[in-house]
Amino acid sequence: MRKFLLAATAAALVQLGLMGNASAAELRYAAAGDIYGLDPDSMTDSFSNNFLSHIYEPLVRYNKELKIEPALALSWEVVKPDVVRFKLRQGVKFHDGADFGADDVVMSLMRAVDENSPIKGNLPALKSVEKIDDYTVDLHLAGPTPLLNNYLTNIAVFDAGWLENNNAVKPINAELGQEGYTSTHANGTGPFKLESRRPDAQTVLVANEGWWDKPQHNLTKIIFTPIASDATRVAALLSGEVDIITPSPLQDAKRIAANPGTKVLENPGLRTIMMNFNMRDKLVDGNVEGNPFKDARVRKAVYQAINMDLVRDKIMRGKSRVSGMQIAPEVPGFDAKLNERFPYDPAAAKALLTEAGYPDGFQFNMNCPNDAYVNDEEVCQAMTAMLAQVGLNAKLVTEARTLHFKKAQEGQTDMFMIGWATLPMLDGFSVLSAMLHSPEEKLGTWNPGGYTNAKVDELVKKIDVELDETKRREMMVEAFAITEQEVAWLPLHQQPLSWAVRDNVEVVQTADDLLRLWYVNVK
């Protein structure tokens, strides 16, 4: 049997193109799933955008301490409360040799906030971009924007001429299955260039020898391979066929740590895992009239039927952080009192269902990814069993995140799982603006369930322009208190950061769980 398993693992690695030795400066990297494509404007998926940040760059970026520093912009100043001027870096070239300048910034930022852009909520205050000269631009805003630079860390800069020549000025939405030239081609200014890509099989990047910045890595090539199977991914690391895996399964931590030549990297994470409720008029897959989830009592019943302490202890190996809020303690807007969960109480859950008119429960679908978060499928299986104990029949569907989030955005789910690390803002306003504001232009971009509260909407708009940090945080706490009482979403936990690497790999693990390979050195 052992020989059969080893042979099967080897066959899987051969199929994925992992067999063979690597040179000292070549990094072989495996993750649980693939990226959506090569256009960072086409998706809100943080894993995909993190990978593409090796190719494309923003005006400003987070460093290894998660502090904002200059990238393609050298400096910035507030000209007026609603105008910020950026001085651009000179001498930068795109991977195809074209010069970087103001025209590229104008087109790229306006592409990001196009009405059809899935990331338009990442830069909600931007009205227009004005070219002052070849290396100066003014950003015209809807009003004072305290988080402008936080937003800009996640807005990639494209070559304007390249977009025009390839009919790619308008953005696409990869999460809805749309494709275009930028889905399969890339041309950035970043530390690595695209060499080849085979979707769902392998993507290869090579070092950009003409990068404007001084490299802090010694890599010549990155070979990225998605490996959905935890067992195969771990086997690849242990056998030396890959150098780093994310995530590293919690159940294999001791085995990886005990294996000569490998180690586990674990730290608390910012990403809160939570469930969204369908609050539209009808359930997608129900057996009752209307939609019970429109009643806050029903949503609270679901909340109190789930034992997150048990999930933490049994499924997450004691390494998750149970949460009553949609943001982590390190994120501005967090409040310790609001983070106290409603108690696990199946009897109270049944009483709430009866009070709401559903003494026998009801049926609905629950969608979860199986390759996006730490033990995501196992967590959803446990929740399904817990909900059944109070009479709720959650028909569980688990699938790859590319399908999962497409269904979620299209409103094909009654409950769905998502993880949110408040990126790129690293601020509670990320959740408030994208997930808790009513869907409206650039707001509510991740509120497919249709939650709405006029007071919350009012507070979000005030928070957006408030420059007094104390007042801003007080309003965030006020808004979160309202949404918590209404059980607008169902927070679960912050998942732990769990990576595993070969001993000869030096990597920086940051709390946002993003792998910045331009800081990696292979000994």
Side-chain angles (χ1 to χ4, degrees):
M1 176 61 74
R2 183 173 182 273
K3 289 182 178 179
F4 172 79
L5 289 174
L6 289 174
T9 299
L13 296 176
V14 168
Q15 183 179 1
L16 291 164
L18 294 175
M19 297 300 282
N21 295 323
S23 64
E26 182 177 289
L27 185 81
R28 300 154 304 168
Y29 162 41
D34 198 12
I35 60 176
Y36 275 94
L38 296 174
D39 187 341
D41 283 354
S42 71
M43 67 203 82
T44 56
D45 178 59
S46 59
F47 174 80
S48 298
N49 280 313
N50 170 230
F51 184 85
L52 295 176
S53 68
H54 295 82
I55 300 174
Y56 291 98
E57 294 180 296
L59 294 178
V60 294
R61 67 188 179 189
Y62 287 113
N63 63 18
K64 64 180 70 175
E65 286 81 35
L66 294 184
K67 303 296 183 183
I68 292 175
E69 66 179 14
L72 293 179
L74 278 173
S75 63
W76 49 92
E77 62 175 329
V78 177
V79 178
K80 294 191 296 185
D82 59 352
V83 178
V84 181
R85 177 164 295 171
F86 284 81
K87 293 288 186 179
L88 306 179
R89 192 178 298 275
Q90 299 186 31
V92 176
K93 290 187 178 294
F94 287 93
H95 296 161
D96 67 355
D99 291 327
F100 159 76
D103 292 330
D104 306 307
V105 175
V106 172
M107 182 171 289
S108 297
L109 268 57
M110 295 312 296
R111 184 180 194 262
V113 299
D114 184 272
E115 62 180 359
N116 296 317
S117 169
I119 69 162
K120 60 183 181 290
N122 285 355
L123 201 53
L126 184 66
K127 294 174 63 178
S128 64
V129 185
E130 179 185 1
K131 176 182 175 180
I132 304 302
D133 60 41
D134 287 346
Y135 293 99
T136 308
V137 295
D138 280 357
L139 273 59
H140 293 264
L141 311 168
T145 308
L147 297 175
L148 177 62
N149 278 356
N150 303 60
Y151 290 124
L152 289 171
T153 61
N154 206 41
I155 305 298
V157 175
F158 291 81
D159 177 357
W162 183 76
L163 290 176
E164 290 173 337
N165 292 339
N166 295 291
N167 193 30
V169 173
K170 284 290 185 180
I172 57 175
N173 193 331
E175 292 168 346
L176 297 179
Q178 298 173 4
E179 293 186 350
Y181 185 82
T182 51
S183 304
T184 54
H185 299 77
N187 180 35
T189 60
F192 297 93
K193 300 188 290 187
L194 177 71
E195 181 178 89
S196 63
R197 173 161 167 77
R198 289 181 290 131
D200 299 317
Q202 189 177 88
T203 302
V204 179
L205 307 181
V206 294
N208 176 14
E209 299 298 335
W211 190 33
W212 60 267
D213 202 359
K214 181 179 180 181
Q216 297 184 49
H217 67 86
N218 70 340
L219 305 180
T220 58
K221 181 177 288 190
I222 298 168
I223 302 174
F224 167 65
T225 306
I227 306 178
S229 165
D230 286 350
T232 305
R233 195 163 65 253
V234 170
L237 178 74
L238 296 180
S239 65
E241 304 304 328
V242 300
D243 302 302
I244 183 167
I245 62 172
T246 64
S248 174
L250 298 179
Q251 62 269 24
D252 291 307
K254 290 183 179 179
R255 184 160 68 101
I256 293 171
N259 179 67
T262 58
K263 59 187 176 183
V264 177
L265 304 176
E266 290 183 339
N267 279 295
L270 297 178
R271 190 174 306 281
T272 300
I273 308 301
M274 62 192 91
M275 304 296 294
N276 176 260
F277 293 102
N278 166 15
M279 298 187 204
R280 298 178 296 275
D281 290 337
K282 294 182 180 180
L283 291 173
V284 172
D285 189 5
N287 61 351
V288 294
E289 291 294 323
N291 183 355
F293 287 138
K294 296 183 74 171
D295 190 324
R297 293 170 297 183
V298 173
R299 301 194 297 270
K300 188 175 181 181
V302 172
Y303 191 131
Q304 293 199 263
I306 295 173
N307 186 345
M308 286 308 300
D309 288 342
L310 185 63
V311 170
R312 176 196 60 207
D313 296 342
K314 299 299 183 182
I315 298 176
M316 305 301 288
R317 274 43 178 200
K319 296 176 180 179
S320 61
R321 187 165 53 185
V322 174
S323 181
M325 289 192 72
Q326 290 176 257
I327 57 175
E330 298 85 353
V331 176
F334 176 84
D335 182 83
K337 290 183 179 179
L338 293 180
N339 199 46
E340 296 175 5
R341 289 182 63 85
F342 294 122
Y344 166 63
D345 190 339
K350 289 181 179 179
L352 283 167
L353 289 171
T354 299
E355 182 182 330
Y358 304 98
D360 300 320
F362 57 93
Q363 172 186 297
F364 57 94
N365 74 10
M366 185 164 78
N367 290 64
C368 296
N370 56 21
D371 62 355
Y373 311 118
V374 178
N375 293 341
D376 42 15
E377 185 171 11
E378 292 87 346
V379 170
C380 288
Q381 289 170 342
M383 290 195 296
T384 301
M386 293 172 186
L387 292 171
Q389 293 177 1
V390 300
L392 293 171
N393 179 18
K395 298 178 66 177
L396 179 61
V397 176
T398 62
E399 54 200 351
R401 70 173 184 271
T402 49
L403 291 173
H404 170 75
F405 292 117
K406 181 176 184 290
K407 287 184 177 180
Q409 281 285 50
E410 291 177 345
Q412 298 182 37
T413 66
D414 291 320
M415 285 184 69
F416 73 84
M417 173 181 278
I418 189 172
W420 204 265
T422 71
L423 302 173
M425 298 180 212
L426 290 179
D427 189 272
F429 186 70
S430 172
V431 168
L432 290 166
S433 60
M435 311 177 90
L436 293 170
H437 191 285
S438 305
E440 173 190 308
E441 297 181 348
K442 299 175 186 177
L443 297 169
T445 54
W446 261 106
N447 183 7
Y451 170 77
T452 182
N453 181 290
K455 181 61 177 177
V456 172
D457 290 353
E458 176 188 339
L459 285 167
V460 169
K461 288 181 172 68
K462 289 181 178 179
I463 294 164
D464 189 25
V465 298
E466 180 56 66
L467 297 177
D468 184 309
E469 185 63 15
T470 299
K471 291 181 180 178
R472 206 176 69 83
R473 294 194 185 201
E474 288 174 352
M475 286 191 289
M476 284 197 286
V477 170
E478 182 182 354
F480 279 126
I482 295 170
T483 60
E484 179 174 302
Q485 285 302 311
E486 294 189 338
V487 195
W489 287 67
L490 171 57
L492 301 176
H493 59 225
Q494 279 96 41
Q495 67 178 27
L497 306 185
S498 184
W499 307 351
V501 301
R502 304 289 304 170
D503 282 345
N504 66 326
V505 176
E506 294 179 348
V507 60
V508 176
Q509 187 178 47
T510 51
D512 58 2
D513 201 18
L514 299 183
L515 190 59
R516 294 172 172 85
L517 297 178
W518 56 87
Y519 292 130
V520 167
N521 284 274
V522 178
K523 300 176 184 177

